[in-house]
Amino acid sequence: MAFSTVSYLWRDQNAHQGFRTGVSLHSHTNQSKETLDFLANLGGKYAVIRPLLARMEHRSYAKYGLRMDYAAGYWTPPMTPRLAFDLESKQIEKLDINSMVSITDHDTIAAPMLLRTIPSARRIPVSVEWSVPYGGVQDFHLGVHNLPSARAKQWMQTFAELTAKPNDERLKEILVALSDEPNVLVVFNHPMWDLFLIGQEKHEFLVNEFLQKYGTWLHALELNGLRNWEENRAVRRLAEQWNMVLISGGDRHGVEPNANINLTNAASFTEFVHEIRRRRESNILFMPQYAEPWKHRLLQSTLDAIRDYPDFPQGSRRWDERAYHPDANGVVRPLSEIWSKGRAPFAIHWTIKVVQMLGTGPVSDGLRLAWSDTAQLRLALGERSVEV
């Protein structure tokens, strides 16, 4: 039997009492390469966006000789590993409990390996968000936490080979081998999110097929701090259907700390893994920011990605230093190096400025009111625990 509790800090200010530690799972740093494929997908789905992308593609080729390649381009979140670690730790420690942080950048363990050279973060688990192609049309993201340090690079090579050349039998072998690592935790991140916009019905079919084939070797399903109430309720039903543990995962990409954490009395991350895997118990706490309107939070996360941070280290300060694309010779470089004058073209510059205006006081407050999730909030508060 799996047992998961879900609490809300804005409803119960003492929800964390009786626990020794808060665990931040699933967050991203500037070591994470975030694909631009979503732009092409949006253009295919929404007719109003396609002409805008077509104009951008035309101007890119006419002015710079560049053909837009959404698959090869990417952007990186603004926070360095140290800044991200400190952000997550401080949010938890404000509750007067100890903190553990597991950073899971996309398909790289660079952040935890760098952080292990810092005394305050030397015990951080080696973790990653692994992109697993499935069904020929979708990627599923698996949070793989606490890889054994001595073999972490070997595991990363194994993951990369499967991602580059998908194979169902090989995937099963890898998941079985991961499960045989007693201190590793494998989480199915945001399972109900249709990442590639293939259609929710088809996506859910693939999710259930994936769980039927491989669920035995997955240890938990994620309630995601950046996804909406409805989607997380669907994940709860999925957990009940498959008798799986629920776990938190903030999925932070910007500068807002994770919107949920796990509470535990474990003294180490390995003990926490055993709590999830062996005892099949999980205590999830949603933080106050999750009660904010979902669309408003997505907007703020977008603004975090395109905002300037003059106090950040060089290379992370401007949005066009954090966005990358192949140049005319096929070499991937920051956009700031590709612009002919070292800065964004006039049209792009002012488009960014207009979007940034959405985050200013009066405009932001108006959007927040218009996007109120009060009805969803009331519905969600009835869900105090999950036992299956």
Side-chain angles (χ1 to χ4, degrees), residues 91 225-226 250 256-261 285-290 297:
Q91 174 180 234
L226 263 188
E256 175 191 86
N258 275 356
N260 58 16
I261 61 173
L285 177 65
F286 278 87
M287 307 302 285
Q289 54 265 38
Y290 194 77
R297 292 184 61 234

Side-chain angles (χ1 to χ4, degrees), residues 246-322:
L246 289 170
I247 201 168
S248 68
D251 205 5
R252 179 196 48 74
H253 287 74
V255 299
E256 175 191 86
N258 275 356
N260 58 16
I261 61 173
N262 259 71
L263 298 170
T264 179
N265 284 310
S268 68
F269 196 87
T270 295
E271 283 186 24
F272 171 68
V273 171
H274 294 173
E275 184 174 275
I276 302 297
R277 288 190 55 170
R278 296 179 183 175
R279 291 167 52 188
R280 306 194 72 207
E281 294 182 8
S282 176
N283 300 284
I284 301 165
L285 177 65
F286 278 87
M287 307 302 285
Q289 54 265 38
Y290 194 77
E292 295 294 314
W294 178 62
K295 290 181 181 179
H296 193 261
R297 292 184 61 234
L298 284 186
L299 171 63
Q300 293 302 318
S301 184
T302 301
L303 293 172
D304 287 349
I306 61 174
R307 189 175 286 125
D308 290 341
Y309 300 91
D311 296 331
F312 278 21
Q314 188 69 37
S316 294
R317 296 174 182 173
R318 287 171 24 199
W319 72 268
D320 58 357
E321 294 176 330
R322 303 188 299 267

